Amino acid sequence: MNIQVLYGTETGNAEMLAEDIAAELEADHEVTATNLSDFDPGEFDRGTLYLLVCSTYGDGELPASAQPFAEKMEAEAPDLTGVHFGIFGMGDSEYEETFNGGPATLAELMIARGATQLGERIAHDASGAEMAEDLAFPWAEEIVGMAGDALGQAA
Amino acid sequence: MTGQIAIIGAGPSGCFLAQALLKARPELRVDLIDRLPVPYGLVRYGVAADHQGTKAVTRQFARLFERQGARFFGNVGVGSEVTLDDLRGAYDAVVLAAGLSADRALGIPGGDLPGVHGAGKLTRALYEHPEAEALPKLGTHPLIVGNGNVAIDLLRLLAKSPEELDGSDLGAGPTEWLAGSGIEEITITGRSPAAAAKFDTVMIKELAKLTGVTIRVIGAGESDDPEAQKKLAALTALEGGDGPRRITFRFGMTPLAVEGTSGVEAVRFATDTGDETLPCTSVLTAIGFDTPGDLPRDALLKDETEGKLAAGLYATGWFRRGPRGTIPDNRADAKALADRILNDLAPDPDKPGATILQALDTLTDYDGWCRIDRAETANPPPGRCRAKITTREDMLTLARQEDMP
């Protein structure tokens, strides 16, 4: 399966996790990890599974590297019908009210353009005891399993 | 020949720079030098003990040393064990990432009275920096001058009840000090109007979780700017509570003098409506940071452009940009500087590199830090994720215990 891990990062934590997910999946799949700041919404491809990894910054906002992407999504309003994605959020529950605001915004942007979200939006808590990858690897495997059916390819 | 780069300071800016350099050119030799036997600088000793999520950035930095080949040279003071010139002679490029650790002085009459404490000094004591002074007595009514994020961090820590510090890495001594502080009231004052206050809105919202306080916000004012409106709304939402500790926010207060004979008794401010004197038992200044003077920062930065100071000499992070910007802001800075350094880099195979450091018998390394880290996290007390080793001597003993499992 073609998988592209797209990350929105501010401190680099989401970037590191995205690269780890890509490394975890690359034995069985064609995987790349790309910063959302280097990705154009026009590049979305229906034959590729997108795994979005996104943090939250400031007051529940998108992280810096996802902001140009969000602006382009608004401006270009691409039709993403038939595009499949899963989304993994990274947040910090110290900031209760806006915990995981960034990934929520990103998921809404995708769905508003017709893309299909696979699975639940997972939220890792930086102030919690669990390592992000311990949540993210099983999540990625699960989404890839679901995408196998959705994309009509062998997972 | 691949190039050898020394980074002075293993705090977040130095680590992010090393990360960007090694990501671009994995074959580079990148050495991080720190005056402490432990890395991560501000993340360990400046980021609040109850902001463990922010400290999670150290997982990236650990990878730098464990997988990307960066090396840690701890317990090396530049200016004592080695000189900046030694390093410039030994490496193809040297980067100053030493941060700014000294508190900017108030610079007003009474500013040096007993009972006036800089936020940096107090923070280092709270977070058990090996060179910190003892935690001072603040009395029943400390007054904070400044309203950036550092000021809000201090306010939050001082206002928290012991249970609210669960999950932090606040040490036993500071925990006891806080529990017995006897603080009844905290006043926090800023020069600017609330709409222009330097704190981030999210830091204010976090204060809404405090359970043991009653908060008053005086003179928040209004604004047409949407960002400022968010700030004001968050502030206004804080008002109220029924806890025993009173917190008062004041704005538009320019300090004129700290008053008192043998210690702090009050601060006199200029306001739009004339002078006003606020009584207090201690003054905590959080008005920015300065160089501690171990490196001649002003002279070094004299000809600085975009992080380059001279041939083969660069600066990044707070050392370059001044005490502004969060950890991720400095990451962006570090990335830009990495490109610049790589562009300039002309490796000289005759440069000895780390050989000049390896001769130092005081040196500690990354494995030594791992031994300290394991000792700190192996068996923390209830409600804590870490118990810091607090003296340089104990750090060195642990760091040098070879062949520990």
Side-chain angles (χ1 to χ4, degrees):
Chain A
M1 186 184 299
N2 282 325
I3 301 173
Q4 189 162 19
V5 187
L6 295 174
Y7 58 87
T9 193
E10 182 97 24
T11 64
N13 291 343
E15 178 171 350
M16 181 167 84
L17 181 64
E19 287 171 355
D20 287 354
I21 293 171
E24 187 72 10
L25 297 174
E26 74 187 0
D28 300 321
H29 305 279
E30 287 296 315
V31 197
T32 53
T34 308
N35 194 329
L36 276 170
S37 63
D38 300 327
F39 185 83
D40 190 279
E43 295 172 49
F44 276 116
D45 162 44
R46 284 168 183 78
T48 299
L49 169 65
Y50 295 93
L51 295 179
L52 274 47
V53 179
C54 183
S55 64
T56 296
Y57 207 68
D59 191 17
E61 288 138 33
L62 284 172
S65 97
Q67 282 175 11
F69 172 80
E71 285 159 21
K72 278 186 258 176
M73 285 284 276
E74 293 286 347
E76 296 170 19
D79 177 10
L80 301 185
T81 310
V83 170
H84 289 82
F85 74 98
I87 183 159
F88 188 93
M90 300 176 78
D92 187 343
S93 62
E94 286 295 339
Y95 309 106
E96 216 161 341
E97 192 185 335
T98 52
F99 178 52
N100 265 286
T105 305
L106 188 60
E108 281 164 23
L109 278 173
M110 296 291 291
I111 292 164
R113 301 266 51 91
T116 304
Q117 180 177 329
L118 299 174
E120 296 292 305
R121 178 162 57 80
I122 303 287
H124 175 256
D125 177 9
S127 289
E130 261 179 314
M131 296 288 183
E133 56 270 30
D134 292 344
L135 273 181
F137 292 173
W139 163 81
E141 293 294 353
E142 189 195 334
I143 302 299
V144 168
M146 295 168 85
D149 305 328
L151 299 184
Q153 297 175 14
Chain B
M1 190 63 206
T2 59
Q4 307 181 94
I5 299 171
I7 299 173
I8 300 171
S13 289
C15 286
F16 276 130
L17 177 68
Q19 184 186 57
L21 287 166
L22 288 166
K23 213 160 190 176
R25 296 223 200 134
E27 74 285 2
L28 277 179
R29 181 48 90 188
V30 178
D31 294 337
L32 287 122
I33 299 166
D34 206 283
R35 56 198 195 89
L36 293 183
V38 294
Y40 311 147
L42 179 97
V43 178
R44 183 174 162 95
Y45 292 116
V47 170
D50 59 346
H51 277 176
Q52 292 298 317
T54 305
K55 292 180 192 253
V57 73
T58 56
R59 294 194 63 218
Q60 287 183 58
F61 302 157
R63 186 167 295 192
L64 185 59
F65 298 108
E66 290 168 12
R67 296 199 204 163
Q68 291 173 279
R71 293 187 297 187
F72 177 63
F73 292 85
N75 204 34
V76 178
V78 174
S80 44
E81 276 79 26
V82 288
T83 67
L84 183 55
D85 286 340
D86 293 338
L87 290 171
R88 292 186 69 188
Y91 284 86
D92 298 307
V94 175
V95 187
L96 300 161
L100 292 175
S101 56
D103 289 291
R104 187 170 287 161
L106 266 178
I108 56 173
D112 50 4
L113 271 173
V116 178
H117 308 285
K121 193 180 81 166
L122 190 56
T123 302
R124 278 192 292 281
L126 266 174
Y127 303 150
E128 302 176 293
H129 189 289
E131 291 161 6
E133 296 171 28
L135 280 160
K137 284 205 187 332
L138 302 182
T140 55
H141 183 183
L143 181 146
I144 300 174
V145 176
N147 58 15
N149 290 339
V150 173
I152 303 295
D153 269 342
L154 256 188
L155 172 70
R156 189 186 64 254
L157 259 292
L158 294 179
K160 275 197 166 179
S161 63
E163 311 77 65
E164 288 173 321
L165 291 159
D166 272 6
S168 73
D169 64 359
L170 194 72
T175 298
E176 202 176 312
W177 176 83
L178 268 182
S181 73
I183 293 174
E184 295 169 4
E185 180 168 9
I186 306 168
T187 304
I188 175 164
T189 66
R191 258 175 117 99
S192 53
K198 291 196 172 63
F199 51 66
D200 287 322
T201 304
V202 67
M203 296 283 289
I204 294 300
K205 288 189 172 175
E206 192 187 356
L207 298 176
K209 289 195 287 176
L210 295 173
T211 55
V213 298
T214 303
I215 300 180
R216 270 203 312 165
V217 179
I218 297 176
E222 291 175 349
S223 172
D224 296 332
D225 174 62
E227 279 306 306
Q229 281 169 355
K230 281 190 206 166
K231 234 172 228 187
L232 296 179
L235 264 176
T236 317
L238 288 182
E239 285 204 90
D242 54 7
R245 253 171 204 162
R246 298 186 303 280
I247 296 177
T248 308
F249 279 86
R250 298 293 308 265
F251 299 95
M253 311 279 289
T254 303
L256 295 176
V258 181
E259 296 181 342
T261 44
S262 58
V264 171
E265 290 168 18
V267 181
R268 185 158 49 85
F269 294 91
T271 76
D272 280 350
T273 51
D275 287 10
E276 186 175 345
T277 301
L278 299 181
C280 57
T281 55
S282 54
V283 174
L284 313 179
T285 64
I287 52 170
F289 295 94
D290 224 325
T291 173
D294 50 352
L295 293 162
R297 179 169 179 258
D298 290 344
L300 286 164
L301 288 183
K302 186 166 52 73
D303 300 317
E304 185 260 350
T305 25
E306 292 172 45
K308 185 169 184 173
L309 317 184
L313 186 65
Y314 305 84
T316 190
W318 274 15
F319 190 87
R320 177 180 86 80
R321 57 191 281 155
R324 285 174 301 281
T326 57
I327 288 173
D329 292 338
N330 289 291
R331 173 174 179 262
D333 236 32
K335 286 195 144 183
L337 183 63
D339 290 343
R340 170 129 215 214
I341 293 171
L342 293 174
N343 205 32
D344 291 349
L345 195 67
D348 173 355
D350 293 330
K351 295 237 179 186
T355 319
I356 65 158
L357 300 172
Q358 281 150 345
L360 298 168
D361 56 8
T362 49
L363 193 66
T364 63
D365 60 8
Y366 184 74
D367 288 342
W369 154 242
C370 290
R371 284 187 279 273
I372 295 171
D373 188 38
R374 278 197 297 272
E376 290 185 336
T377 52
N379 196 16
R384 294 292 180 268
C385 60
R386 172 185 296 274
K388 281 182 192 164
I389 307 295
T390 59
T391 68
R392 187 184 289 263
E393 195 185 358
D394 289 348
M395 287 177 179
L396 292 177
T397 306
L398 271 165
R400 289 172 182 151
Q401 271 170 9
E402 299 286 342
D403 304 323
M404 288 269 291

